[in-house]
Amino acid sequence: MKASISLTQIVLSVLLLLFSAATSYPLVLANFLQCLPNHVHASNPIFEAIYTPSNSSFQSVLVAYIKNRRFLTSDNPKPLAIVTALHESHVQATVICAKFHSLQIRIRSGGHDFEGLSYRSDVPFVILDLFNLRSIDIDIVSETAWVQSGAILGELYYEIAKKSKVHGFPAGVCPTIGVGGHFSGGGYGNMLRKYGLSVDHIIDAKLVDVNGNILNRKSMGEDLFWAIRGGGGASFGVILSWKIKLVRVPQKVTVFMVDRTLEEGATDIVYQWQQIISKIDKELFIRAQPQVVQNDEDEKTVRVTFIGQFLGKRGKLLSLLTKGFPELGLKQDDCKEVSWLESTMFWTNIPLGTPPEALLNRSIPAELFFKSKSDYVKEIISKQDLENIWKQFLKTEGMLMQWNSYGGIMKEISSTKTPFPHRAGYLFKIHYFTLWFTEGTEATDRHIRLAREMYDSMAPYVSKNPREAFLNYRDLDIGRNPSNETNFQEAQVYGSKYFKRNFLRLAAVKKMVDPDNFFKNEQSIPPFD
């Protein structure tokens, strides 16, 4: 072991010399890097997992899991180093050494963090990147699986389907999302009306705590296990893996996508959609997706795309909608019967018939700039108010709204079962997604301003006191702290919107497991004040 540690120290020393030749080398980072080998076994050397700016691969590793061009500009802060953990002990060593040397870490698993908090900070920091930790171990007999946090949803769906045609898992529709952040923020997808959220099917987890210990559900205790299932894992530790309970799905499910413009009666259809979505058969999920488009006269109009999934055959779906939602005018030709795995591809616009290996593609570059916001709607919006919404919506540029239906089993789950509180009493959730392709601060400022104006105009129609938001659609506009401190009063502002009354319990757990607030970011949970 001494010989291997010595070799590691030599390699690290070379890295330090190379970097120091090009820049004024921070002593804190030098100490951090020299500390790491002392906390890993010789059989798992860590130097191969370390990237500093002197390494030719540093930039490619940094940007590989950044999906938003807004955070690829030259003025965005860069980490002092990236640790791409190859073994669980590398995570332990990173936590121990960063804490000892007072160096902030940001934890990244998928890179879809909408505000980039998993790879950005305004104080000196290192990225702990988990993309190499992505094993998936499925046990169909027990209907469970262990999934490491660096796996993406597409990999999870693919591996489940390899083992069974009648099992699935309720999670998001974008296959490149990292499991770590998605699950710890709640895990919202198109089977929530039947099965709830991802966190409702998590039965164990492995986590590295602030002292570098690896804990499971039993050793971490039920309070911490509660907190990481929807409260944002990065506030409490580094989640290595999750044990999930699979759910049953039919061999064939039915999907559809139909468009209706304002001229084709979209307002009336959306109004009726609100009437039925929380009450209709829980096997059915329908998203209404408004978008500004050009009509045949080359004028702006609103087109609403209705995207649905039914956990059953086409005939039963058509019978259900003929009785319960005839305004949609769904026809047999609109419906496609597919396997559950194929449905996950349909939702991300991968053409049906594409080999399922497409779900394994991680190398999707950041081709656009975007900003996200979210809302929850509890009361039906009148037709007149819908028309007012469209008028403001037509002023936006590049905005897409996703109105995701609620109801079903979500009405039966307590708002305190997990930190995710948005359960009964909700009609739908709105995701405002603004995207643009033009470089420069002028374009960015304009698009974000228009997005904020649209969001502000929606205040009369959405939840109030607080105006609620979804953690996985991270939005720094609703409240933030500086990178290196967490003021409790400011945290209450965004915390109440994400977690409502569950925020105080999260803060109490934080005080218990990380009283010195080592794990933090601009919207983290503070220790109870």
Side-chain angles (χ1 to χ4, degrees):
M1 181 171 177
K2 287 184 178 179
S4 295
I5 290 179
S6 175
L7 175 61
T8 301
Q9 294 285 14
I10 290 171
V11 173
L12 286 174
S13 296
V14 171
L15 287 173
L16 298 182
L17 288 172
L18 288 172
F19 191 29
S20 61
T23 185
S24 176
Y25 192 78
L27 180 60
V28 64
L29 182 58
N31 292 333
F32 168 74
L33 294 177
Q34 290 173 344
C35 169
L36 292 173
N38 299 324
H39 296 278
V40 297
H41 192 272
S43 60
N44 298 301
I46 196 171
F47 67 85
E48 294 180 353
I50 299 170
Y51 295 84
T52 66
S54 64
N55 189 296
S56 60
S57 299
F58 175 83
Q59 183 65 14
S60 62
V61 172
L62 174 62
V63 305
Y65 289 93
I66 295 178
K67 307 300 183 185
N68 190 344
R69 283 177 62 191
R70 195 153 60 98
F71 305 128
L72 288 175
T73 58
S74 59
D75 60 343
N76 272 282
K78 304 293 191 297
L80 298 177
I82 306 170
V83 181
T84 59
L86 298 165
H87 188 266
E88 292 179 347
S89 64
H90 296 173
V91 177
Q92 294 174 280
T94 302
V95 171
I96 291 168
C97 294
K99 182 185 176 187
F100 185 81
H101 294 289
S102 301
L103 187 60
Q104 188 175 100
I105 64 172
R106 293 296 169 104
I107 307 156
R108 181 167 75 172
S109 61
H112 275 259
D113 187 331
F114 286 167
E115 294 285 13
L117 303 188
S118 59
Y119 51 82
R120 302 169 62 239
S121 177
D122 291 330
V123 299
F125 72 107
V126 298
I127 293 176
L128 174 56
D129 208 321
L130 304 180
F131 70 86
N132 286 315
L133 301 179
R134 57 179 191 251
S135 70
I136 300 171
D137 183 14
I138 296 171
D139 182 356
I140 289 297
V141 174
S142 65
E143 298 183 305
T144 62
W146 274 103
V147 188
Q148 286 191 308
S149 286
I152 59 174
L153 293 181
E155 291 169 340
L156 174 59
Y157 298 159
Y158 180 84
E159 293 299 325
I160 292 173
K162 277 174 60 177
K163 295 290 184 72
S164 170
K165 305 304 179 187
V166 293
H167 286 87
F169 191 71
V173 300
C174 180
T176 57
I177 292 173
V179 162
H182 185 65
F183 286 3
S184 66
Y188 184 103
N190 55 22
M191 291 201 290
L192 89 160
R193 301 190 68 254
K194 171 70 173 181
Y195 288 117
L197 307 175
S198 301
V199 290
D200 299 323
H201 302 272
I202 291 172
I203 55 179
D204 205 343
K206 291 176 67 177
L207 171 144
V208 175
D209 72 4
V210 71
N211 298 312
N213 301 312
I214 295 180
L215 308 176
N216 59 17
R217 178 175 182 172
K218 182 177 180 180
S219 55
M220 76 175 69
E222 288 302 305
D223 286 327
L224 181 53
F225 184 64
W226 174 86
I228 62 175
R229 290 177 296 141
S235 291
F236 303 97
V238 184
I239 300 166
L240 298 170
S241 57
W242 306 86
K243 187 177 185 182
I244 61 175
K245 185 71 173 176
L246 305 181
V247 301
R248 294 294 184 100
V249 295
Q251 288 196 0
K252 291 292 182 180
V253 304
T254 305
V255 294
F256 64 86
M257 182 185 299
V258 293
D259 296 328
R260 301 288 185 264
T261 64
L262 296 185
E263 294 79 6
E264 295 169 329
T267 300
D268 290 340
I269 300 171
V270 171
Y271 179 73
Q272 187 61 27
W273 172 82
Q274 295 178 91
Q275 312 285 328
I276 61 95
I277 49 168
S278 67
K279 306 169 187 174
I280 205 162
D281 193 318
K282 66 177 64 173
E283 312 282 337
L284 177 62
F285 175 90
I286 305 177
R287 167 188 289 173
Q289 186 166 284
Q291 187 173 7
V292 176
V293 297
Q294 301 294 122
N295 63 19
D296 293 338
E297 285 73 41
D298 203 30
E299 298 174 340
K300 279 187 174 183
T301 189
V302 175
R303 181 186 68 201
V304 182
T305 302
F306 296 88
I307 313 170
Q309 177 162 308
F310 178 66
L311 297 175
K313 294 289 188 69
R314 175 170 45 202
K316 185 175 180 181
L317 169 64
L318 288 169
S319 174
L320 182 68
L321 289 184
T322 298
K323 297 174 183 176
F325 191 18
E327 293 81 0
L328 182 60
L330 193 69
K331 299 181 176 63
Q332 182 166 317
D333 290 345
D334 299 323
C335 304
K336 296 177 174 60
E337 289 186 357
V338 297
S339 68
W340 175 76
L341 185 68
E342 288 173 320
S343 78
T344 68
M345 300 170 71
F346 170 85
W347 277 90
T348 195
N349 293 319
I350 297 175
L352 292 176
T354 303
E357 285 72 20
L359 291 169
L360 307 179
N361 182 18
R362 289 171 161 259
S363 57
I364 297 177
E367 296 179 337
L368 50 86
F369 301 82
F370 64 84
K371 169 68 178 177
S372 286
K373 303 179 79 66
S374 62
D375 262 320
Y376 286 90
V377 176
K378 296 183 174 183
E379 298 179 358
I380 290 172
I381 302 172
S382 70
K383 291 183 183 180
Q384 180 61 54
D385 287 335
L386 285 173
E387 291 173 358
N388 291 334
I389 289 172
W390 306 146
K391 288 176 184 177
Q392 183 65 37
F393 191 40
L394 287 166
K395 299 177 184 178
T396 64
E397 295 182 18
M399 177 177 279
L400 174 78
M401 288 194 288
Q402 295 175 339
W403 296 13
N404 294 300
S405 57
Y406 252 68
I409 198 173
M410 292 291 281
K411 295 189 292 187
E412 304 168 20
I413 301 173
S414 167
S415 62
T416 60
K417 179 188 176 184
T418 70
F420 183 98
H422 321 287
R423 301 283 191 169
Y426 297 82
L427 293 178
F428 57 96
K429 176 177 66 179
I430 300 178
H431 180 197
Y432 309 87
F433 188 76
T434 299
L435 59 94
W436 62 100
F437 297 89
T438 307
E439 299 271 358
T441 56
E442 182 179 347
T444 294
D445 290 347
R446 183 179 73 256
H447 282 88
I448 291 179
R449 174 179 58 79
L450 291 171
R452 288 169 176 163
E453 289 175 359
M454 182 67 206
Y455 176 80
D456 290 344
S457 75
M458 293 292 290
Y461 319 118
V462 299
S463 60
K464 302 171 180 65
N465 302 316
R467 184 173 181 176
E468 300 169 45
F470 179 36
L471 180 64
N472 276 352
Y473 296 159
R474 184 83 71 176
D475 179 12
L476 290 178
D477 290 350
I478 68 171
R480 61 180 295 171
N481 272 298
S483 294
N484 204 35
E485 60 183 80
T486 313
N487 176 273
F488 189 87
Q489 284 68 40
E490 183 59 38
Q492 277 188 302
V493 174
Y494 58 78
S496 65
K497 296 173 183 179
Y498 287 137
F499 310 113
K500 299 183 70 176
R501 288 179 293 178
N502 291 336
F503 169 77
L504 293 179
R505 183 178 173 187
L506 287 168
V509 175
K510 174 74 169 182
K511 184 173 184 178
M512 179 174 62
V513 302
D514 184 19
D516 297 324
N517 198 28
F518 170 70
F519 293 111
K520 56 182 170 291
N521 59 51
E522 288 78 357
Q523 283 192 340
S524 59
I525 302 295
F528 190 81
D529 192 355

